[in-house]
Amino acid sequence: MAQSKPLVAILMGSKSDWETVRHASETLHKFDVPHESRVLSAHRTPNATVEYVAAAEGRGIEVVIAAAGGAAHLAGVCAANTILPVLGVPMESASLKGLDSLLSTVQMPGGIPVGTLAIGKPGAVNAALLAVAILARKRPELADRLRAFRTEQEGKVLKEKLEGN
Ligand code: RP5
């Protein structure tokens, strides 16, 4: 894309989430979508989180991706402080395999929505693809790329061979 100002903010509760969350960043890179990634925690850096999210719309950000694990309140706190679409990605946690993250991200009270994706890497990739779909509504070249991606993906799956078959 010609523009270089970030359109998507990728936030994560801890640097330890990056191994999973980098798949969202890599997916956005594939579509050439300008974005920025930050570690901001609903619990450990509450003031900085609210400050960042409240300023995001004014800075030209159009979608927020928020990834967190355990008592995962990051996406909810983001959604409470912006009207931008917030996509939540539950991290797989050591103790409960991400069920804790999933429930604390998805079970928002009516009125403050978080679009919650799958636990872990598939969720990170899909959050980025959903962000691309949102941005593509007003950017025909991005819509073309998304269609091309789907066609390529379909082609790969249809070509797959099963061993012994
Ligand atoms: C959450 O706690 C983070 O999003 C992370 O998934 C989890 C564990 O964080 P660390 O203790 O590894 O920093 O806030």
Side-chain angles (χ1 to χ4, degrees):
M1 288 179 99
Q3 139 158 29
S4 60
K5 261 174 61 176
L7 293 172
V8 179
I10 301 179
L11 307 183
M12 68 214 83
S14 167
K15 193 177 170 191
S16 66
D17 298 324
W18 179 241
E19 193 41 42
T20 304
V21 178
R22 69 183 175 82
H23 296 287
S25 175
E26 285 167 12
T27 303
L28 290 176
H29 274 304
K30 277 187 199 154
F31 285 88
D32 213 10
V33 170
H35 60 282
E36 62 185 22
S37 304
R38 295 266 188 286
V39 176
L40 282 170
S41 163
H43 307 122
R44 291 168 175 157
T45 66
N47 297 329
T49 300
V50 169
E51 206 176 298
Y52 176 92
V53 173
E57 189 182 358
R59 293 179 48 235
I61 300 283
E62 295 189 26
V63 183
V64 175
I65 295 174
H73 298 130
L74 182 61
V77 167
C78 289
N81 286 283
T82 183
I83 59 158
L84 293 173
V86 175
L87 307 178
V89 185
M91 293 295 94
E92 186 170 326
S93 54
S95 39
L96 295 171
K97 293 274 170 219
L99 186 59
D100 44 357
S101 323
L102 173 66
L103 295 179
S104 46
T105 302
V106 78
Q107 287 290 57
M108 288 295 291
I112 304 292
V114 166
T116 304
L117 286 302
I119 297 168
K121 181 181 169 184
V125 170
N126 281 346
L129 291 173
L130 201 49
V132 170
I134 292 167
L135 296 171
R137 291 302 79 219
K138 294 226 167 112
R139 294 172 178 86
E141 82 284 0
L142 213 45
D144 288 345
R145 281 184 198 194
L146 199 47
R147 281 190 201 97
F149 165 82
R150 291 280 184 98
T151 305
E152 190 190 334
Q153 179 170 253
E154 185 178 22
K156 273 188 201 155
V157 172
L158 291 175
K159 264 197 275 172
E160 274 164 2
K161 298 262 183 283
L162 300 175
E163 214 175 294
N165 234 356

